[in-house]
Amino acid sequence: MAEAHQAVAFQFTVTPEGINLQLSHQALTEIYLSGVRSWKKRVIRLKNSVITGVYPASPSSWLFVVIAILATMYTRSDPSMGLIAKIQEHLPVSQSMSTQCQAVLSAVLFSTMLWLLLIFTMRLCLKQLLSYHRWMFEQHGKMSNTTKVWVALVRIFSGRKPLLYSYQGSLPNLPVPSIKDTVKRYLESVRPLMDDTQYGRMTKLATEFESSLGNRLQWYLKLKALWAANYVSDWWEEYVYLRGRSPIMVNSNYYGMDFLYVTPTPIQAARAGNSIHAFFLYRRKLNKEEIKPGRIPGTFIPLCAAQCERIFNTTRIPGEETDTVQHWQDSDYIVVYHRGRYFRLRVYQAGRLLSPREIEFQIQRILDDPTPPSRGEAKLGALTAGDRIPWAKARAKYFNSGVNKRSLDCIERAAFFVTLDDDDEQGMMGDDPAASLDRYAKSLLHGKCYDRWFDKSFSVVYYKNGKNGINGEHSWADAPVVAHLWEYTLATDCFQLGYNAEGHCKGEVDSSLPLPQKLNWEIPPECEEQISQSLAVAQVLADNVDFHVFPFQDFGKGKVKKCHVSPDAFIQMALQLAYYRERRTFCLTYEASMTRLFREGRTETVRSCTNESSAFVRALEGGEAPDVCRRLFRAASEKHQLLYRMAMTGAGIDRHLFCLYVVSKYLGVESPFLKEVLSEPWRLSTSQTPIQQVELFDMVNYPEYISCGGGFGPVADDGYGVAYCILGDNLINFHISCKHSCPDTDAHKFGARIRKALHDLIQLLSPDQKEPNKMEESQPDVKKDQ
């Protein structure tokens, strides 16, 4: 096999004169450079571990402390209060070491211990300071004296120039709410969804749980919180994601779109060249921890960066009972799928990262390769799109040895997965741009069900017309982590790397680059049958998804803020109004909130359907006076903001109840209350995907260079999934999903109701302002993709 010959560094033949070695200098050079690169990374990791380990101090501060202690000794004062002398007494006696040297060594040891104690104290103080969250609940623009003092202390103890993981040791642990508070807030959240009889029954179940089993389960949970860094995250990853046996495609994954109005180049290989290069630039910054720690927008409060560790070189491995997430330290290649073939593409040559132009050259080689796929190879990816148990069994039976294992290992260890779409053009284009965006969303979410590797941490898709997009697997991290990577890639692609006049990547090509290596497979007929079955399952699931994506351009957060309302609360109230107008009832509503203020934090649920929001919707639909509706709206939006802040600060409902349920299962006890709570369907699942790196995009001078955001599939069979992205002051992008199989849901009709609700709310809050009737009035003056 050709790839086997490329893998060996030397050949030998046995002759009568002896053994004749034929060394391959190129292969040995590659081995040497690979080793050098590996050792450089080890040194960088070691250096960063030291810097992060002593943060918020710096390694150089040790020298300052040592010099200060030695200086005091020469002034005949003893800051150690006799400890230096005690250390000197217990030093091993050496004939070659003078008394003065022993004194200096004792002082250095004391200085080191003092330095470590100061670091521990500073870190403990910073952890206590970061546990203070009252600032989030204060009125905007009115800061209390306590918060002012807190701000000053946080700045003092935060140190300078933090690395990506510098704050990890100082972040507080997620607190465990009390049973009483959680049950009380839960009952309040379901009141608008139940009649008096249902609510009375649920209250009785909750009271019984609180007074009996709840306290026992809470004791175990508090014990875990004392021992583990986060009492939720590991169970959340395992039981919500990895133990799910249904397909992860549509049910769990999510996607991100390219720029909305422009395509930087129409050349598929060129777009891949620039963005793949940008991905590896990001990975280089990630490995060196040069990415700035995430912070709450507009503040200096750090967020947990633990999820960043598994962005690259990570794959979800199927198992019969539970999947696992496997992460490798490094990988110098990607795997590319095109027309049914899989290729291994190395992005490093002679120890350096290939230039964008060289990556384009290699991608074009794959596009021009006429080799047909081997038997069973073309739709092999369908195994990752179907049910997990058949995939786990097929992996163990057909991919545990030989050429299949080598090729599968290559895919799973790759930095990430790339699909070169061979027959689709996507984006906002043609005579029906709305329908084209809907097709674009479905393509990114599930594609053809076999042309993605859904187990990879993320996959990137490049279309024939130069458009691209990203698909993320959900178990290892949440969407904001992938969104941060995607923002960097889009900005670097267009604003730093750029293209020449012909649309190709800039730079020169080393023509001696080895050809991308085609992966080989030996797929038996029984495995082909399993591939077909998995594809059939996935195809039914994909065909059932109804998507509607639309940019709302009539107004944006700029106009909403003039009404002194949170844009997020405004949109959530619009969603409640739209849903009520469609169903004439309310539903359990999920809005994702982060808990990354805490170590290893992930998400919490904001239950956006409240007593206040339902009262407002009923008043508006019942024809109440505008003043009454405005008062009720403000009460509802303030309640929503309160719930969002409580979720962020560890006082949410759902993760606590989820963990109590897990403990009950471990103990083998049944709780009617927890069982009913965990079985309630989220018929309206929502999420905001904000731009995190605003500084990378110039929305004033280049308003066309904005992403369309991303979306996900519906959570409930009879519900909606709604993702929205607030961009600048005049644009909100919506991604709506539901299922064709439910006669009560229609993504396009629901989108129309959202538009109507947004207009009705802004008219209610600003009745004297005249609204634009045409979308074109606020639309950026740019040329759309054709």
Side-chain angles (χ1 to χ4, degrees):
M1 297 186 297
E3 67 273 13
H5 290 296
Q6 293 173 8
V8 297
F10 63 91
Q11 301 172 3
F12 68 91
T13 56
V14 179
T15 66
E17 290 76 21
I19 299 176
N20 179 27
L21 293 177
Q22 300 174 9
L23 294 176
S24 170
H25 294 288
Q26 181 181 358
L28 289 175
T29 301
E30 285 294 327
I31 291 172
Y32 167 75
L33 292 172
S34 178
V36 170
R37 180 166 163 263
S38 177
W39 277 102
K40 281 183 178 178
K41 289 192 174 184
R42 291 184 187 183
V43 171
I44 290 172
R45 280 197 292 268
L46 178 62
K47 182 191 76 171
N48 289 341
S49 296
V50 172
I51 295 174
T52 300
V54 302
Y55 196 83
S58 64
S60 60
S61 63
W62 172 81
L63 186 61
F64 175 81
V65 173
V66 170
I67 292 174
I69 295 297
L70 290 175
T72 58
M73 290 179 62
Y74 283 103
T75 60
R76 298 188 180 278
S77 59
D78 186 7
S80 70
M81 294 181 291
L83 285 176
I84 293 178
K86 286 286 185 183
I87 294 172
Q88 187 173 349
E89 289 177 10
H90 291 84
L91 281 178
V93 178
S94 174
Q95 299 295 330
S96 61
M97 185 179 293
S98 66
T99 304
Q100 187 175 7
C101 287
Q102 290 182 11
V104 171
L105 180 58
S106 301
V108 170
L109 290 174
F110 171 78
S111 302
T112 302
M113 290 188 292
L114 177 63
W115 179 65
L116 292 174
L117 180 62
L118 290 173
I119 291 172
F120 176 79
T121 304
M122 290 178 66
R123 185 172 289 187
L124 187 63
C125 290
L126 182 58
K127 189 171 186 175
Q128 292 301 314
L129 289 169
L130 294 177
S131 300
Y132 173 82
H133 298 126
R134 280 179 54 192
W135 63 273
M136 291 189 68
F137 298 90
E138 293 179 353
Q139 190 173 347
H140 184 68
K142 295 183 179 180
M143 187 183 295
S144 66
N145 291 331
T146 303
T147 300
K148 289 178 181 178
V149 173
W150 170 76
V151 168
L153 290 173
V154 171
R155 290 188 182 277
I156 290 172
F157 285 96
S158 287
R160 299 175 57 215
K161 298 181 180 179
L163 298 176
L164 176 62
Y165 303 118
S166 290
Y167 289 109
Q168 292 301 103
S170 302
L171 291 174
N173 290 3
L174 183 68
V176 182
S178 69
I179 290 284
K180 182 179 179 180
D181 289 343
T182 296
V183 168
K184 179 183 176 182
R185 288 196 291 267
Y186 169 77
L187 290 174
E188 183 183 356
S189 73
V190 297
R191 186 65 187 95
L193 310 176
M194 298 179 177
D195 58 31
D196 293 342
T197 303
Q198 293 171 325
Y199 185 71
R201 174 180 167 276
M202 182 56 73
T203 302
K204 182 180 178 181
L205 288 175
T207 305
E208 291 174 355
F209 172 77
E210 181 184 344
S211 61
S212 57
L213 181 60
N215 291 322
R216 181 186 173 194
L217 302 180
Q218 180 81 344
W219 186 88
Y220 283 96
L221 212 53
K222 286 185 175 180
L223 186 63
K224 184 189 178 188
L226 289 173
W227 176 254
N230 191 296
Y231 79 93
V232 175
S233 294
D234 58 339
W235 284 351
W236 186 253
E237 178 177 307
E238 180 179 358
Y239 292 105
V240 172
Y241 294 115
L242 298 180
R243 283 188 179 267
R245 302 294 80 198
S246 59
I248 60 176
M249 184 197 78
V250 174
N251 294 324
S252 177
N253 65 333
Y254 53 89
Y255 66 86
M257 284 186 170
D258 194 5
F259 294 119
L260 182 60
Y261 296 107
V262 297
T263 305
T265 176
I267 302 174
Q268 185 179 20
R271 191 73 195 281
N274 259 10
S275 57
I276 290 172
H277 184 85
F279 277 122
F280 279 92
L281 291 180
Y282 187 94
R283 192 180 74 163
R284 180 185 294 169
K285 291 168 68 73
L286 183 68
N287 290 339
K288 293 182 177 180
E289 300 183 28
E290 294 174 351
I291 297 171
K292 294 180 181 178
R295 301 179 188 274
I296 292 181
T299 75
F300 53 88
I301 308 304
L303 300 175
C304 179
Q307 296 179 53
C308 297
E309 297 175 0
R310 299 188 290 182
I311 294 179
F312 295 93
N313 330 315
T314 300
T315 300
R316 176 171 173 164
I317 306 296
E320 292 193 35
E321 291 187 4
T322 181
D323 294 353
T324 56
V325 176
Q326 182 71 48
H327 171 72
W328 291 269
Q329 280 294 336
D330 193 22
S331 178
D332 63 355
Y333 67 90
I334 58 175
V335 168
V336 181
Y337 177 91
H338 177 244
R339 286 200 298 112
R341 296 92 41 85
Y342 292 84
F343 293 86
R344 172 176 177 156
L345 173 57
R346 292 189 178 276
V347 293
Y348 282 87
Q349 173 75 5
R352 65 172 180 86
L353 177 63
L354 297 184
S355 69
R357 185 71 183 90
E358 288 172 326
I359 297 176
E360 176 190 350
F361 175 72
Q362 294 290 74
I363 292 290
Q364 192 60 53
R365 281 176 155 182
I366 293 175
L367 291 172
D368 296 339
D369 190 315
T371 310
S374 58
R375 179 176 176 178
E377 179 184 12
K379 299 180 180 180
L380 179 64
L383 290 172
T384 68
D387 291 319
R388 303 304 290 174
I389 294 177
W391 170 210
K393 290 180 177 179
R395 187 179 188 276
K397 186 174 182 180
Y398 304 115
F399 300 89
N400 64 347
S401 63
V403 64
N404 287 350
K405 185 180 189 303
R406 289 194 294 273
S407 294
L408 181 61
D409 283 347
C410 183
I411 293 176
E412 292 179 341
R413 292 171 181 264
F416 55 91
F417 191 82
V418 168
T419 295
L420 302 175
D421 202 293
D422 59 314
D423 55 12
D424 280 346
E425 295 186 353
Q426 299 291 351
M428 180 183 278
M429 58 186 185
D431 299 330
D432 192 353
S436 67
L437 280 180
D438 299 346
R439 291 192 298 271
Y440 186 18
K442 280 182 66 67
S443 176
L444 286 177
L445 185 68
H446 55 68
K448 300 172 184 175
C449 302
Y450 58 81
D451 55 349
R452 317 274 189 268
W453 201 266
F454 292 102
D455 288 352
K456 288 298 293 181
S457 54
F458 69 92
S459 302
V460 192
V461 186
Y462 299 95
Y463 297 100
K464 287 185 68 175
N465 60 341
K467 275 291 180 194
N468 66 3
I470 193 167
N471 184 297
E473 199 278 313
H474 212 324
S475 65
W476 63 276
D478 300 307
V481 177
V482 173
H484 192 277
L485 164 69
W486 189 234
E487 290 168 11
Y488 175 89
T489 302
L490 290 176
T492 304
D493 173 11
C494 294
F495 304 135
Q496 294 185 29
L497 300 176
Y499 301 89
N500 61 25
E502 290 78 28
H504 292 284
C505 298
K506 298 176 182 177
E508 302 298 326
V509 177
D510 180 1
S511 58
S512 66
L513 291 174
L515 285 168
Q517 174 188 341
K518 184 181 179 301
L519 302 185
N520 290 326
W521 307 90
E522 295 175 359
I523 308 297
E526 306 85 47
C527 185
E528 286 188 82
E529 178 62 27
Q530 183 55 63
I531 292 172
S532 299
Q533 292 176 12
S534 294
L535 179 58
V537 170
Q539 196 65 59
V540 170
L541 186 60
D543 292 343
N544 196 21
V545 177
D546 180 22
F547 247 106
H548 181 43
V549 179
F550 67 93
F552 182 83
Q553 300 163 311
D554 294 4
F555 61 86
K557 72 175 182 182
K559 193 170 185 179
V560 174
K561 283 187 172 181
K562 289 180 181 178
C563 301
H564 306 290
V565 177
S566 157
D568 183 70
F570 181 88
I571 293 173
Q572 287 293 327
M573 293 307 109
L575 294 176
Q576 291 298 314
L577 180 58
Y579 189 89
Y580 184 81
R581 285 173 171 175
E582 178 172 291
R583 300 286 186 90
R584 308 312 299 178
T585 186
F586 298 101
C587 72
L588 196 60
T589 305
Y590 183 112
E591 181 186 5
S593 167
M594 67 173 180
T595 56
R596 290 170 64 198
L597 286 169
F598 304 96
R599 190 170 183 177
E600 296 183 16
R602 291 198 60 162
T603 61
E604 178 57 276
T605 305
V606 180
R607 295 184 168 224
S608 300
C609 181
T610 62
N611 291 318
E612 290 79 2
S613 68
S614 58
F616 159 69
V617 170
R618 285 195 178 99
L620 185 66
E621 290 299 280
E624 294 285 348
D627 287 344
V628 174
C629 292
R630 276 192 286 270
R631 176 174 56 81
L632 291 172
F633 175 86
R634 295 199 179 278
S637 62
E638 288 172 7
K639 181 58 178 289
H640 178 269
Q641 286 297 94
L642 175 64
L643 292 177
Y644 202 99
R645 290 164 181 157
M646 290 177 70
M648 287 183 64
T649 54
I653 300 170
D654 290 276
R655 300 302 178 268
H656 186 204
L657 293 173
F658 161 76
C659 287
L660 290 171
Y661 181 76
V662 173
V663 173
S664 73
K665 288 298 181 183
Y666 276 126
L667 296 179
V669 295
E670 286 292 332
S671 168
F673 171 70
L674 290 177
K675 185 176 181 180
E676 192 151 334
V677 169
L678 271 295
S679 63
E680 293 170 342
W682 300 97
R683 291 192 173 89
L684 192 54
S685 180
T686 71
S687 179
Q688 182 188 170
T689 53
I691 297 293
Q692 302 171 64
Q693 304 166 87
V694 181
E695 69 279 2
L696 296 180
F697 303 92
D698 187 348
M699 295 186 183
V700 176
N701 297 317
Y702 300 98
E704 67 275 20
Y705 283 93
I706 49 176
S707 169
C708 198
F712 52 88
V715 174
D717 291 339
D718 57 348
Y720 291 103
V722 181
Y724 51 94
C725 185
I726 302 174
L727 296 162
D729 287 337
N730 302 300
L731 178 63
I732 308 171
N733 288 326
F734 285 90
H735 300 247
I736 305 168
S737 64
C738 63
K739 293 188 176 181
H740 289 296
S741 58
C742 178
D744 298 325
T745 57
D746 185 300
H748 291 76
K749 288 182 179 178
F750 193 60
R753 292 190 187 278
I754 292 175
R755 291 189 190 91
K756 179 69 166 57
L758 291 169
H759 280 286
D760 290 348
L761 291 186
I762 202 68
Q763 185 62 32
L764 174 69
L765 297 177
S766 54
D768 298 329
Q769 297 185 29
K770 189 175 181 180
E771 289 187 75
N773 292 321
K774 296 181 180 179
M775 293 174 65
E776 288 77 8
E777 292 184 20
S778 59
Q779 183 175 328
D781 184 20
V782 298
K783 183 179 179 181
K784 293 183 181 178
D785 296 331
Q786 298 297 320

PDB file of all heavy atoms in Angstrom, residues 622-640:
ATOM      1  N   GLY A 622     -56.207  40.504  25.789  1.00  0.00           N
ATOM      2  CA  GLY A 622     -57.560  40.787  26.274  1.00  0.00           C
ATOM      3  C   GLY A 622     -58.007  42.214  26.043  1.00  0.00           C
ATOM      4  O   GLY A 622     -59.111  42.587  26.465  1.00  0.00           O
ATOM      5  N   GLY A 623     -57.140  43.032  25.419  1.00  0.00           N
ATOM      6  CA  GLY A 623     -57.530  44.399  25.086  1.00  0.00           C
ATOM      7  C   GLY A 623     -57.450  45.379  26.237  1.00  0.00           C
ATOM      8  O   GLY A 623     -58.140  46.417  26.238  1.00  0.00           O
ATOM      9  N   GLU A 624     -56.579  45.083  27.225  1.00  0.00           N
ATOM     10  CA  GLU A 624     -56.417  46.024  28.333  1.00  0.00           C
ATOM     11  C   GLU A 624     -55.792  47.327  27.841  1.00  0.00           C
ATOM     12  O   GLU A 624     -55.183  47.392  26.770  1.00  0.00           O
ATOM     13  CB  GLU A 624     -55.529  45.400  29.413  1.00  0.00           C
ATOM     14  CG  GLU A 624     -56.131  44.188  30.109  1.00  0.00           C
ATOM     15  CD  GLU A 624     -57.210  44.583  31.098  1.00  0.00           C
ATOM     16  OE1 GLU A 624     -57.335  45.780  31.402  1.00  0.00           O
ATOM     17  OE2 GLU A 624     -57.924  43.675  31.581  1.00  0.00           O
ATOM     18  N   ALA A 625     -55.938  48.382  28.669  1.00  0.00           N
ATOM     19  CA  ALA A 625     -55.404  49.700  28.320  1.00  0.00           C
ATOM     20  C   ALA A 625     -53.891  49.632  28.133  1.00  0.00           C
ATOM     21  O   ALA A 625     -53.212  48.866  28.834  1.00  0.00           O
ATOM     22  CB  ALA A 625     -55.757  50.710  29.411  1.00  0.00           C
ATOM     23  N   PRO A 626     -53.329  50.426  27.208  1.00  0.00           N
ATOM     24  CA  PRO A 626     -51.877  50.389  26.966  1.00  0.00           C
ATOM     25  C   PRO A 626     -51.047  50.646  28.211  1.00  0.00           C
ATOM     26  O   PRO A 626     -49.995  50.019  28.390  1.00  0.00           O
ATOM     27  CB  PRO A 626     -51.668  51.490  25.920  1.00  0.00           C
ATOM     28  CG  PRO A 626     -52.976  51.569  25.194  1.00  0.00           C
ATOM     29  CD  PRO A 626     -54.021  51.294  26.229  1.00  0.00           C
ATOM     30  N   ASP A 627     -51.482  51.545  29.079  1.00  0.00           N
ATOM     31  CA  ASP A 627     -50.712  51.827  30.289  1.00  0.00           C
ATOM     32  C   ASP A 627     -50.628  50.589  31.182  1.00  0.00           C
ATOM     33  O   ASP A 627     -49.588  50.307  31.782  1.00  0.00           O
ATOM     34  CB  ASP A 627     -51.351  52.985  31.069  1.00  0.00           C
ATOM     35  CG  ASP A 627     -51.118  54.322  30.378  1.00  0.00           C
ATOM     36  OD1 ASP A 627     -50.237  54.371  29.499  1.00  0.00           O
ATOM     37  OD2 ASP A 627     -51.818  55.299  30.713  1.00  0.00           O
ATOM     38  N   VAL A 628     -51.727  49.867  31.283  1.00  0.00           N
ATOM     39  CA  VAL A 628     -51.744  48.634  32.071  1.00  0.00           C
ATOM     40  C   VAL A 628     -50.802  47.607  31.459  1.00  0.00           C
ATOM     41  O   VAL A 628     -50.016  46.950  32.165  1.00  0.00           O
ATOM     42  CB  VAL A 628     -53.176  48.066  32.169  1.00  0.00           C
ATOM     43  CG1 VAL A 628     -53.167  46.711  32.871  1.00  0.00           C
ATOM     44  CG2 VAL A 628     -54.090  49.037  32.893  1.00  0.00           C
ATOM     45  N   CYS A 629     -50.859  47.478  30.147  1.00  0.00           N
ATOM     46  CA  CYS A 629     -49.995  46.501  29.457  1.00  0.00           C
ATOM     47  C   CYS A 629     -48.522  46.861  29.606  1.00  0.00           C
ATOM     48  O   CYS A 629     -47.676  45.983  29.798  1.00  0.00           O
ATOM     49  CB  CYS A 629     -50.378  46.424  27.979  1.00  0.00           C
ATOM     50  SG  CYS A 629     -52.002  45.689  27.681  1.00  0.00           S
ATOM     51  N   ARG A 630     -48.222  48.160  29.512  1.00  0.00           N
ATOM     52  CA  ARG A 630     -46.832  48.581  29.670  1.00  0.00           C
ATOM     53  C   ARG A 630     -46.326  48.271  31.084  1.00  0.00           C
ATOM     54  O   ARG A 630     -45.192  47.817  31.268  1.00  0.00           O
ATOM     55  CB  ARG A 630     -46.685  50.070  29.371  1.00  0.00           C
ATOM     56  CG  ARG A 630     -46.539  50.385  27.886  1.00  0.00           C
ATOM     57  CD  ARG A 630     -46.111  51.812  27.650  1.00  0.00           C
ATOM     58  NE  ARG A 630     -47.208  52.731  27.903  1.00  0.00           N
ATOM     59  CZ  ARG A 630     -48.088  53.123  26.972  1.00  0.00           C
ATOM     60  NH1 ARG A 630     -47.976  52.653  25.733  1.00  0.00           N
ATOM     61  NH2 ARG A 630     -49.050  53.955  27.264  1.00  0.00           N
ATOM     62  N   ARG A 631     -47.154  48.520  32.076  1.00  0.00           N
ATOM     63  CA  ARG A 631     -46.759  48.230  33.453  1.00  0.00           C
ATOM     64  C   ARG A 631     -46.521  46.734  33.636  1.00  0.00           C
ATOM     65  O   ARG A 631     -45.535  46.312  34.252  1.00  0.00           O
ATOM     66  CB  ARG A 631     -47.837  48.729  34.406  1.00  0.00           C
ATOM     67  CG  ARG A 631     -47.576  48.382  35.873  1.00  0.00           C
ATOM     68  CD  ARG A 631     -48.601  49.021  36.778  1.00  0.00           C
ATOM     69  NE  ARG A 631     -49.958  48.649  36.396  1.00  0.00           N
ATOM     70  CZ  ARG A 631     -50.547  47.501  36.725  1.00  0.00           C
ATOM     71  NH1 ARG A 631     -49.873  46.590  37.442  1.00  0.00           N
ATOM     72  NH2 ARG A 631     -51.793  47.250  36.365  1.00  0.00           N
ATOM     73  N   LEU A 632     -47.408  45.917  33.106  1.00  0.00           N
ATOM     74  CA  LEU A 632     -47.258  44.472  33.219  1.00  0.00           C
ATOM     75  C   LEU A 632     -46.041  43.973  32.429  1.00  0.00           C
ATOM     76  O   LEU A 632     -45.353  43.040  32.853  1.00  0.00           O
ATOM     77  CB  LEU A 632     -48.518  43.767  32.739  1.00  0.00           C
ATOM     78  CG  LEU A 632     -49.758  43.951  33.624  1.00  0.00           C
ATOM     79  CD1 LEU A 632     -50.996  43.357  32.942  1.00  0.00           C
ATOM     80  CD2 LEU A 632     -49.542  43.317  34.988  1.00  0.00           C
ATOM     81  N   PHE A 633     -45.801  44.608  31.282  1.00  0.00           N
ATOM     82  CA  PHE A 633     -44.627  44.212  30.487  1.00  0.00           C
ATOM     83  C   PHE A 633     -43.347  44.482  31.254  1.00  0.00           C
ATOM     84  O   PHE A 633     -42.438  43.638  31.287  1.00  0.00           O
ATOM     85  CB  PHE A 633     -44.600  44.964  29.156  1.00  0.00           C
ATOM     86  CG  PHE A 633     -43.359  44.679  28.344  1.00  0.00           C
ATOM     87  CD1 PHE A 633     -43.300  43.588  27.499  1.00  0.00           C
ATOM     88  CD2 PHE A 633     -42.225  45.493  28.463  1.00  0.00           C
ATOM     89  CE1 PHE A 633     -42.150  43.315  26.769  1.00  0.00           C
ATOM     90  CE2 PHE A 633     -41.074  45.218  27.743  1.00  0.00           C
ATOM     91  CZ  PHE A 633     -41.044  44.131  26.885  1.00  0.00           C
ATOM     92  N   ARG A 634     -43.229  45.628  31.865  1.00  0.00           N
ATOM     93  CA  ARG A 634     -42.007  45.963  32.594  1.00  0.00           C
ATOM     94  C   ARG A 634     -41.829  45.042  33.797  1.00  0.00           C
ATOM     95  O   ARG A 634     -40.700  44.638  34.114  1.00  0.00           O
ATOM     96  CB  ARG A 634     -42.026  47.432  33.019  1.00  0.00           C
ATOM     97  CG  ARG A 634     -41.998  48.367  31.824  1.00  0.00           C
ATOM     98  CD  ARG A 634     -41.574  49.766  32.147  1.00  0.00           C
ATOM     99  NE  ARG A 634     -41.565  50.583  30.938  1.00  0.00           N
ATOM    100  CZ  ARG A 634     -40.564  50.611  30.070  1.00  0.00           C
ATOM    101  NH1 ARG A 634     -39.491  49.867  30.272  1.00  0.00           N
ATOM    102  NH2 ARG A 634     -40.635  51.388  28.993  1.00  0.00           N
ATOM    103  N   ALA A 635     -42.933  44.683  34.456  1.00  0.00           N
ATOM    104  CA  ALA A 635     -42.836  43.735  35.563  1.00  0.00           C
ATOM    105  C   ALA A 635     -42.352  42.383  35.061  1.00  0.00           C
ATOM    106  O   ALA A 635     -41.520  41.719  35.707  1.00  0.00           O
ATOM    107  CB  ALA A 635     -44.194  43.599  36.250  1.00  0.00           C
ATOM    108  N   ALA A 636     -42.850  41.966  33.890  1.00  0.00           N
ATOM    109  CA  ALA A 636     -42.449  40.675  33.320  1.00  0.00           C
ATOM    110  C   ALA A 636     -40.986  40.692  32.897  1.00  0.00           C
ATOM    111  O   ALA A 636     -40.248  39.718  33.121  1.00  0.00           O
ATOM    112  CB  ALA A 636     -43.342  40.332  32.135  1.00  0.00           C
ATOM    113  N   SER A 637     -40.528  41.779  32.259  1.00  0.00           N
ATOM    114  CA  SER A 637     -39.137  41.844  31.805  1.00  0.00           C
ATOM    115  C   SER A 637     -38.177  41.918  32.991  1.00  0.00           C
ATOM    116  O   SER A 637     -37.098  41.312  32.963  1.00  0.00           O
ATOM    117  CB  SER A 637     -38.929  43.038  30.875  1.00  0.00           C
ATOM    118  OG  SER A 637     -39.180  44.254  31.542  1.00  0.00           O
ATOM    119  N   GLU A 638     -38.579  42.626  34.046  1.00  0.00           N
ATOM    120  CA  GLU A 638     -37.733  42.683  35.244  1.00  0.00           C
ATOM    121  C   GLU A 638     -37.649  41.310  35.907  1.00  0.00           C
ATOM    122  O   GLU A 638     -36.588  40.918  36.400  1.00  0.00           O
ATOM    123  CB  GLU A 638     -38.275  43.730  36.218  1.00  0.00           C
ATOM    124  CG  GLU A 638     -38.054  45.165  35.742  1.00  0.00           C
ATOM    125  CD  GLU A 638     -38.771  46.174  36.611  1.00  0.00           C
ATOM    126  OE1 GLU A 638     -39.331  45.771  37.658  1.00  0.00           O
ATOM    127  OE2 GLU A 638     -38.770  47.368  36.265  1.00  0.00           O
ATOM    128  N   LYS A 639     -38.758  40.576  35.932  1.00  0.00           N
ATOM    129  CA  LYS A 639     -38.740  39.233  36.502  1.00  0.00           C
ATOM    130  C   LYS A 639     -37.828  38.318  35.674  1.00  0.00           C
ATOM    131  O   LYS A 639     -37.078  37.503  36.226  1.00  0.00           O
ATOM    132  CB  LYS A 639     -40.157  38.658  36.536  1.00  0.00           C
ATOM    133  CG  LYS A 639     -40.243  37.258  37.147  1.00  0.00           C
ATOM    134  CD  LYS A 639     -39.700  37.245  38.585  1.00  0.00           C
ATOM    135  CE  LYS A 639     -39.820  35.871  39.237  1.00  0.00           C
ATOM    136  NZ  LYS A 639     -41.225  35.524  39.543  1.00  0.00           N
ATOM    137  N   HIS A 640     -37.893  38.472  34.365  1.00  0.00           N
ATOM    138  CA  HIS A 640     -37.034  37.656  33.507  1.00  0.00           C
ATOM    139  C   HIS A 640     -35.565  37.955  33.781  1.00  0.00           C
ATOM    140  O   HIS A 640     -34.741  37.035  33.881  1.00  0.00           O
ATOM    141  CB  HIS A 640     -37.350  37.913  32.033  1.00  0.00           C
ATOM    142  CG  HIS A 640     -36.464  37.133  31.104  1.00  0.00           C
ATOM    143  ND1 HIS A 640     -35.277  37.635  30.610  1.00  0.00           N
ATOM    144  CD2 HIS A 640     -36.562  35.878  30.611  1.00  0.00           C
ATOM    145  CE1 HIS A 640     -34.699  36.730  29.845  1.00  0.00           C
ATOM    146  NE2 HIS A 640     -35.450  35.661  29.824  1.00  0.00           N
TER     147      HIS A 640
END
